[in-house]
Amino acid sequence: MSSELGSSEYRLLLIDDDEVDVMTFQRSLKKSDLIYKLDVCYNAPEALSTIEKNTYDCIFLDYLLPGIDGLQLLRKLRDMNINTPVAVMTSQGDEKIAVEMIKNGAFDYFTKSDINPDKISKVVITAVRLWDAERQRLVAENKIIENNNRLNAILESTRNLIYAFDRDLKLISFNSSFKENLEHLLRENGLVQTDINLNDIPLNPERKTNLILNIEKCFLGEQFTVLEQVSFSNDEFKETPWYETTFNPIINAQGDVTGVAIYSQDVTENKKIEQDLLNAKNDAIAAAQAKSEFLSNMSHEIRTPMNAIIGLTELLLEEKFEGTNMENIKSIKYSADNLLVIINDILDFSKIEAGKVTFEDIDFDLRHRMNELKKTFGHRTKEKGLDFHIEVDNNVPSAIKGDPYRLNQILFNLVGNAIKFTSDGYIKVSVKIKNQESDKISLEFIVKDSGIGIPQAQQSKIFESFTQANTDTTRKYGGTGLGLAITKNLVQLQGGTIDIASEVGIGTSFIVSIPYGFGQNEKIEDLSQKKSELSDLSSLKILLVEDNLMNQFVAKQFFKKWNNELIIANHGAEAITILRERDDIDLVLMDLQMPEMSGFQAAEIIRGTNTVVKNSSIPIIALSADAFLETRRKVIEAGMNDYVTKPFKPEELYSKILKYTQKESNSE
Ligand code: ADP
């Protein structure tokens, strides 16, 4: 088949039953300047089989053939989908027939008397041109069909709705999902429509207005997605579906927006799952809260008798008991202390889990804290025969801003563990600057021991809750496996890090880094110094507001030691009555949860603007079994000066009483 005009060989076929005409044709062709190969068929059947086997650039067809006429042959060729250009040759006077042939697909005709070299060349060249154009058209048409099929396949490959409107809001395209919905909708409303305009579709008016607004917005050339709770299906029995709908401008070759294609995806299921997840999350939060509240209440209940047990045991320890009795009392004290640690751990852990941990941001004296640490653990290390050193680098400032209570908790945990797991050698705590910026300082605390060590494989696991390095740890050393989980959380929630380095049989180091602010020196309290300024509390009148008789008894015992006789009120209302009558009271110790009137209410009444008490600025120290920061905050909000947790540490209570009563005497 030739594609370039004049350059290559043309394949030609002549169908004619007249030998003479054939010879005339051949002679003329020879004389033309065409390069060609000519086949000749003398009847229709021969012609048909030849055409089937070969491809021609042009067919010359004599109209009159034996048995079958040219018109029938032509039709047959078209039926066989053969589109080769056919030129018809007729005898003089048969022009009418020729016109009929052209109508049936022949591209040219001429009378046999017109046959000459020039005429044949012209016909062949025209045929080739036509043929080329036709072939290009066919290719283009096939491409369009293929493209259409591809697009249709894409449109139909989803159950989601795809549809498009033109500028007049006429529906110009849609897939069958959309069609089903629309037909349903139209049928429900007794409508039969072919040329559909959005205005005629019986949609909910709000939905229609929104849709039109979105289409208009899209005509400005913007593609966007909206989430909507309606669709083209108004099935009352189905719950209102959620659709995620994307509007996409249809742009023509000139770059103008001529329509808007809309894709609506049913996301009802996803929405439902989302809602279920949200519900599950809220349930979990509520459950965690209930747990936290339960634990908080339980703690209060457990701590109240613990307060009595520890307090009375401490008093007993100061008496002179002989031998086993003394040992037994020590054991009671030891067990009670341990029980308290466990209660505190469980409480802290539940708070962390409930995401309820908050941190103080106050000035404190780091060196003072380290001295306290030394004092707290000095006795235990000495008992175990361990060396206990604390080293604070000289360049570490004393005045730090952050949460001193949590620092205590972290270091107490680590040092407590170090002592527990070390039978000889040393415990060393060191503090240095890790990093310093203009407004921040990162401190590194290392708690190092020469104890049993932790196997490499266990080192990452010990920070998980309820995990201990060895299964026999509980049996040998006790503990709940919560301490390090809490410690790690407390460090990380402050933006710090905790690492471990340990070797079995050599010892363990915990390396903690916490970012702090710089504190102001003058704000820092120094309890230890004030403590030594007075030897007893005999000169003070102290009102204890406490409903629990056992707690009253324990407190009385302590204060007796400090040569002080407490004044007792059984609840808030009784305290108000006393403070209304007496102006000689120096300080109030206020329990928080009491019948009749709570400590918070009492404090608010004392501090209130229209207060009935004689001294509205009397120092109030809250006493509570609840150690949480929120409680501490509420205490301050209610106007109380300070807070001591029960079971109270005698020294802490003592120093705080001094702090507030001294301040008073200073200001006088
Ligand atoms: P526990 O209440 O059991 O002490 P922790 O979370 O504080 O819980 O500690 C988890 C485990 O990590 C301990 O049971 C112990 O096996 C190991 N561990 C912690 N500190 C040390 C240490 N200084 N030396 C050796 N093992 C330690």
Side-chain angles (χ1 to χ4, degrees):
M1 194 188 296
S2 66
S3 54
E4 274 174 59
L5 296 178
S7 62
S8 46
E9 186 183 74
Y10 295 121
R11 295 280 317 229
L12 308 175
L13 175 67
L14 174 64
I15 309 167
D16 199 332
D17 61 330
D18 188 326
E19 294 269 2
V20 180
D21 286 349
V22 170
M23 276 164 65
T24 316
F25 187 91
Q26 280 174 326
R27 215 174 306 127
S28 288
L29 191 58
K30 213 171 263 168
K31 281 197 195 139
S32 77
D33 44 10
L34 295 174
I35 306 165
Y36 67 91
K37 183 169 181 294
L38 178 71
D39 295 330
V40 180
C41 294
Y42 293 92
N43 56 51
E46 190 194 349
L48 284 172
S49 74
T50 310
I51 291 168
E52 265 198 313
K53 276 180 244 148
N54 300 289
T55 310
Y56 293 101
D57 293 310
C58 182
I59 297 170
F60 291 90
L61 171 63
D62 181 19
Y63 172 68
L64 278 174
L65 288 173
I68 179 173
D69 69 18
L71 193 59
Q72 282 169 307
L73 184 68
L74 193 60
R75 284 192 183 135
K76 210 157 218 160
L77 287 181
R78 295 308 177 226
D79 286 349
M80 287 159 72
N81 224 359
I82 289 166
N83 295 306
T84 317
V86 175
V88 178
M89 300 181 298
T90 61
S91 305
Q92 199 75 45
D94 281 346
E95 282 86 357
K96 250 196 196 147
I97 292 158
V99 170
E100 193 59 25
M101 297 284 277
I102 296 237
K103 274 189 193 158
N104 277 279
F107 83 95
D108 203 356
Y109 80 92
F110 51 92
T111 56
K112 288 195 174 171
S113 55
D114 277 347
I115 291 180
N116 64 53
D118 195 34
K119 178 74 189 169
I120 293 180
S121 300
K122 272 188 186 144
V123 170
V124 169
I125 285 167
T126 310
V128 168
R129 278 206 182 117
L130 273 175
W131 201 192
D132 266 351
E134 172 67 7
R135 264 196 302 260
Q136 277 172 21
R137 193 188 63 80
L138 283 176
V139 168
E141 195 177 277
N142 282 338
K143 270 217 175 105
I144 289 173
I145 292 171
E146 201 183 310
N147 249 340
N148 268 343
N149 290 347
R150 195 185 305 144
L151 285 177
N152 268 335
I154 293 173
L155 288 182
E156 295 308 325
S157 63
T158 173
R159 292 299 303 150
N160 295 321
L161 312 181
I162 305 178
Y163 49 107
F165 291 105
D166 69 6
R167 209 167 257 288
D168 300 325
L169 300 181
K170 209 177 93 192
L171 188 62
I172 47 175
S173 212
F174 46 82
N175 67 350
S176 31
S177 282
F178 179 82
K179 190 168 169 243
E180 279 163 31
N181 271 318
L182 184 68
E183 279 175 352
H184 194 188
L185 187 67
L186 293 179
R187 222 176 307 124
E188 270 175 5
N189 287 277
L191 296 170
V192 187
Q193 259 164 313
T194 41
D195 227 5
I196 294 165
N197 191 291
L198 176 56
N199 288 314
D200 306 330
I201 302 178
L203 283 180
N204 148 311
E206 195 191 337
R207 151 82 178 154
K208 197 184 278 184
T209 312
N210 275 341
L211 188 57
I212 292 175
L213 283 176
N214 281 327
I215 290 173
E216 278 168 2
K217 182 171 157 198
C218 191
F219 263 110
L220 300 174
E222 196 185 325
Q223 193 226 60
F224 56 92
T225 302
V226 294
L227 197 65
E228 44 180 15
Q229 213 185 355
V230 271
S231 77
F232 274 90
S233 147
N234 286 349
D235 192 342
E236 282 172 34
F237 301 106
K238 252 169 62 180
E239 64 184 288
T240 325
W242 279 95
Y243 272 84
E244 194 178 271
T245 300
T246 301
F247 293 81
N248 215 353
I250 302 171
I251 296 168
N252 70 5
Q254 284 71 47
D256 302 323
V257 182
T258 56
V260 168
I262 302 170
Y263 178 84
S264 271
Q265 187 181 9
D266 189 340
V267 291
T268 316
E269 266 313 298
N270 303 9
K271 271 270 159 194
K272 235 192 265 166
I273 293 169
E274 210 174 276
Q275 191 56 48
D276 287 351
L277 278 177
L278 199 68
N279 290 347
K281 186 183 155 202
N282 288 340
D283 287 352
I285 290 174
Q289 246 157 19
K291 189 174 87 177
S292 166
E293 254 158 48
F294 170 77
L295 285 169
S296 172
N297 291 340
M298 280 304 288
S299 86
H300 186 81
E301 298 305 314
I302 298 173
R303 275 160 172 269
T304 306
M306 286 299 291
N307 184 18
I309 295 169
I310 292 177
L312 291 175
T313 320
E314 245 163 40
L315 285 174
L316 281 178
L317 280 172
E318 282 170 22
E319 312 267 320
K320 297 266 174 300
F321 279 105
E322 297 295 317
T324 39
N325 278 347
M326 196 58 182
E327 286 312 305
N328 290 347
I329 295 167
K330 274 188 187 160
S331 293
I332 294 173
K333 173 74 170 49
Y334 178 79
S335 304
D337 282 344
N338 271 347
L339 185 54
L340 198 64
V341 168
I342 293 172
I343 294 167
N344 286 342
D345 272 4
I346 292 176
L347 268 168
D348 269 345
F349 187 69
S350 72
K351 279 274 153 177
I352 288 171
E353 268 198 323
K356 276 198 178 165
V357 185
T358 42
F359 292 91
E360 294 275 15
D361 192 20
I362 53 171
D363 290 346
F364 66 93
D365 183 336
L366 182 82
R367 283 189 174 73
H368 169 67
R369 291 282 153 185
M370 301 316 281
N371 282 339
E372 290 291 303
L373 189 72
K374 176 110 201 177
K375 267 191 236 157
T376 309
F377 289 102
H379 185 63
R380 257 167 76 192
T381 42
K382 208 163 159 193
E383 259 181 7
K384 268 192 113 171
L386 301 170
D387 286 334
F388 183 36
H389 313 280
I390 294 187
E391 241 178 56
V392 183
D393 262 11
N394 283 337
N395 60 353
V396 174
S398 277
I400 293 293
K401 195 159 186 264
D403 192 329
Y405 310 106
R406 298 303 185 180
L407 176 62
N408 256 2
Q409 202 177 347
I410 291 162
L411 293 176
F412 275 41
N413 247 325
L414 296 178
V415 174
N417 275 348
I419 297 171
K420 186 155 101 177
F421 295 106
T422 306
S423 52
D424 52 15
Y426 64 90
I427 316 288
K428 187 178 160 191
V429 181
S430 57
V431 190
K432 64 175 188 205
I433 297 176
K434 189 181 175 201
N435 217 316
Q436 187 167 354
E437 287 167 40
S438 61
D439 59 340
K440 264 196 309 206
I441 182 165
S442 192
L443 296 182
E444 183 177 270
F445 302 84
I446 301 181
V447 178
K448 189 167 188 230
D449 65 52
S450 59
I452 60 170
I454 302 168
Q456 186 73 35
Q458 300 302 319
Q459 288 181 13
S460 58
K461 292 199 193 127
I462 53 165
F463 292 107
E464 290 165 14
S465 44
F466 306 108
T467 304
Q468 299 182 322
N470 290 301
T471 39
D472 63 351
T473 303
T474 309
R475 189 167 44 77
K476 273 198 212 150
Y477 302 97
T480 54
L482 276 181
L484 285 178
I486 293 169
T487 305
K488 185 180 179 181
N489 270 294
L490 291 179
V491 171
Q492 289 182 341
L493 287 169
Q494 292 180 89
T497 56
I498 181 164
D499 292 299
I500 179 178
S502 182
E503 219 173 304
V504 173
I506 307 280
T508 304
S509 293
F510 284 95
I511 304 115
V512 173
S513 298
I514 304 176
Y516 285 107
F518 291 99
Q520 289 167 311
N521 276 314
E522 58 272 21
K523 279 197 188 167
I524 287 168
E525 40 177 299
D526 190 347
L527 301 174
S528 55
Q529 184 199 335
K530 281 173 188 165
K531 186 181 167 181
S532 57
E533 284 172 15
L534 272 182
S535 57
D536 68 6
L537 301 175
S538 56
S539 59
L540 295 176
K541 293 226 163 22
I542 296 173
L543 173 64
L544 173 71
V545 192
E546 164 72 72
D547 61 314
N548 185 292
L549 292 181
M550 190 50 91
N551 285 348
Q552 287 180 7
F553 175 71
V554 174
K556 271 188 196 155
Q557 300 306 308
F558 273 104
F559 280 81
K560 208 182 271 168
K561 233 177 51 190
W562 296 327
N563 299 324
N564 184 296
E565 192 154 341
L566 285 172
I567 304 153
I568 306 279
N570 290 301
H571 49 73
E574 226 175 275
I576 301 291
T577 312
I578 295 173
L579 290 171
R580 210 175 166 155
E581 283 157 10
R582 296 178 62 160
D583 63 353
D584 60 337
I585 294 174
D586 299 294
L587 181 132
V588 180
L589 294 175
M590 183 79 85
D591 184 30
L592 294 177
Q593 288 171 27
M594 291 175 290
E596 307 249 346
M597 185 188 283
S598 77
F600 296 111
Q601 289 169 311
E604 269 160 22
I605 291 175
I606 295 168
R607 299 287 190 245
T609 35
N610 298 320
T611 187
V612 289
V613 303
K614 291 236 152 83
N615 177 8
S616 67
S617 56
I618 187 166
I620 308 175
I621 297 175
L623 290 177
S624 173
D626 179 346
F628 296 136
L629 197 55
E630 291 96 281
T631 315
R632 234 181 282 163
R633 203 154 271 158
K634 271 201 261 167
V635 160
I636 303 300
E637 266 167 30
M640 292 181 252
N641 303 64
D642 213 326
Y643 185 102
V644 173
T645 17
K646 287 193 289 190
F648 56 79
K649 293 194 185 65
E651 318 85 70
E652 189 192 1
L653 182 61
Y654 185 93
S655 1
K656 286 205 170 162
I657 291 172
L658 282 192
K659 178 179 166 188
Y660 292 100
T661 46
Q662 265 193 345
K663 205 187 254 171
E664 210 187 31
S665 59
N666 284 346
S667 63
E668 267 171 13

